[in-house]
Amino acid sequence: MGPVARSLTGLVLVTATMIVSTSVASASESAAGPAQPSIISAAVYALAHPTASPPGSNDFSCRPTAAHPRPVVLSNGTGANAYDDWAGLSGVLKRDGYCVFAPNLGGPEGGMFQATGDIPTVAGQFGQYVDKVLAATGASKVDIVGHSQGGMMPRYYLKFLGGAAKVGTLVGLAPSNHGTNLDGLVDAVRSLPGGGDFADGVIGAVCPACVQQEVGSSFLTNLNSGGDTMSGVNYTVVATRTDEVVTPYTSAYLTGATVTNHRLQDYCLIDGTEHINITYDHIAIQLVRNALDPAHAWTPNCLT
């Protein structure tokens, strides 16, 4: 299957899932769900439990330890929710001894699909959530781990909303830092008669964040002007060569003195993990752990 075909297939699957989830989702649950081996199994669970918390997360009685003094706030990607993005990593970080938090923002309350709203607005809500975590835990700073939009959106919070003083490390898994053209699909749609109006009017109305993540958008131009990073924050990016959503995959990378960029295939040449499942990839998970605790870092490979 070619790259454009993969992108089209992905869009069809997302749309179909949204239709199904609207009819079966219950907005009443927030208890932690079970650990999951992949985003597919997590999404199936989330269909009936859209507000479930990832394992080990959202315990506001948690107090950070001396070994892990900064709580970790997880930030999900466009159309995902906290549970289906983080039902693998969250429990790992909890077992490592972190206080872990995962909000659902940028979507209808209790809805399956989150992070579709206007990104600056969501960044403001994210900042409020960070303040809530800091107040509850007594910590002075948090670390952030984000997927896709969730790895890029916190940069708006850091740059424009005072977040740089409250964050130690930002880890992005396949983040949309410099936008995407969806393997040319965006350009193809916009080149059609009325395509621009469709993208901005129809897609933009349903998912403002989708349009804002296009390569060259005014949002991204503003975000990336003057440099990628903020002083005092450490940045780690984990990308995959087989990313079919953030394309080219190198658009995920950041530049700056406090940036470390990784590619999954540099640790395992045959790792075929694509964009959606990267939060469940064992190499990506270990690189997150390394970024959060560099004193105990070790190099992952195909097997471990």
Side-chain angles (χ1 to χ4, degrees):
M1 183 182 294
V4 172
R6 287 201 306 270
S7 295
L8 285 169
T9 301
L11 290 173
V12 170
L13 288 173
V14 167
T15 302
T17 306
M18 290 180 73
I19 293 170
V20 172
S21 68
T22 301
S23 65
V24 301
S26 166
S28 62
E29 295 185 70
S30 59
Q36 300 288 351
S38 73
I39 198 169
I40 301 301
S41 60
V44 170
Y45 182 87
L47 286 172
H49 310 82
T51 63
S53 292
S57 70
N58 297 336
D59 176 7
F60 279 87
S61 68
C62 183
R63 296 296 177 266
T65 64
H68 300 301
R70 293 193 295 271
V72 178
V73 180
L74 304 176
S75 176
N76 50 271
T78 308
N81 59 50
Y83 180 80
D84 58 32
D85 241 358
W86 304 115
L89 177 64
S90 180
V92 173
L93 296 180
K94 181 65 174 180
R95 290 193 297 272
D96 284 345
Y98 294 95
C99 295
V100 184
F101 299 89
N104 277 314
L105 303 171
E109 184 175 357
M112 170 76 173
F113 288 87
Q114 300 293 316
T116 58
D118 173 67
I119 296 175
T121 301
V122 176
Q125 296 169 349
F126 185 80
Q128 293 172 4
Y129 187 85
V130 168
D131 287 344
K132 180 181 176 182
V133 169
L134 293 176
T137 61
S140 59
K141 291 186 177 184
V142 301
D143 290 334
I144 300 170
V145 181
H147 174 220
S148 193
Q149 180 200 149
M152 173 273 292
M153 175 276 291
R155 293 180 51 228
Y156 188 96
Y157 164 61
L158 299 181
K159 184 172 184 177
F160 297 113
L161 304 177
K166 303 175 184 179
V167 176
T169 295
L170 170 60
V171 184
L173 302 179
S176 53
N177 282 320
H178 296 97
T180 178
N181 62 9
L182 283 176
D183 280 324
L185 180 59
V186 171
D187 296 335
V189 170
R190 287 191 174 275
S191 68
L192 297 172
D197 291 338
F198 174 79
D200 296 330
V202 178
I203 297 177
V206 176
C207 180
C210 296
V211 177
Q212 289 169 328
Q213 290 174 91
E214 291 181 21
V215 171
S217 71
S218 59
F219 167 78
L220 286 172
T221 299
N222 183 42
L223 175 63
N224 293 318
S225 63
D228 290 346
T229 62
M230 296 294 293
S231 176
V233 181
N234 293 313
Y235 298 80
T236 294
V237 172
V238 181
T240 176
R241 187 176 56 204
T242 53
D243 197 321
E244 79 286 14
V245 175
V246 173
T247 60
Y249 75 89
T250 52
S251 68
Y253 292 150
L254 297 172
T255 59
T258 59
V259 173
T260 302
N261 292 313
H262 299 280
R263 184 175 65 170
L264 292 182
Q265 289 75 23
D266 292 334
Y267 297 88
C268 178
L269 185 62
I270 60 173
D271 190 323
T273 298
E274 298 187 351
H275 182 88
I276 294 176
N277 208 49
I278 194 171
T279 60
Y280 291 84
D281 180 270
H282 77 277
I283 294 174
I285 288 174
Q286 185 55 44
L287 293 173
V288 169
R289 298 170 78 194
N290 290 351
L292 297 178
D293 188 6
H296 298 94
W298 53 272
T299 303
N301 55 48
C302 292
L303 300 178
T304 61

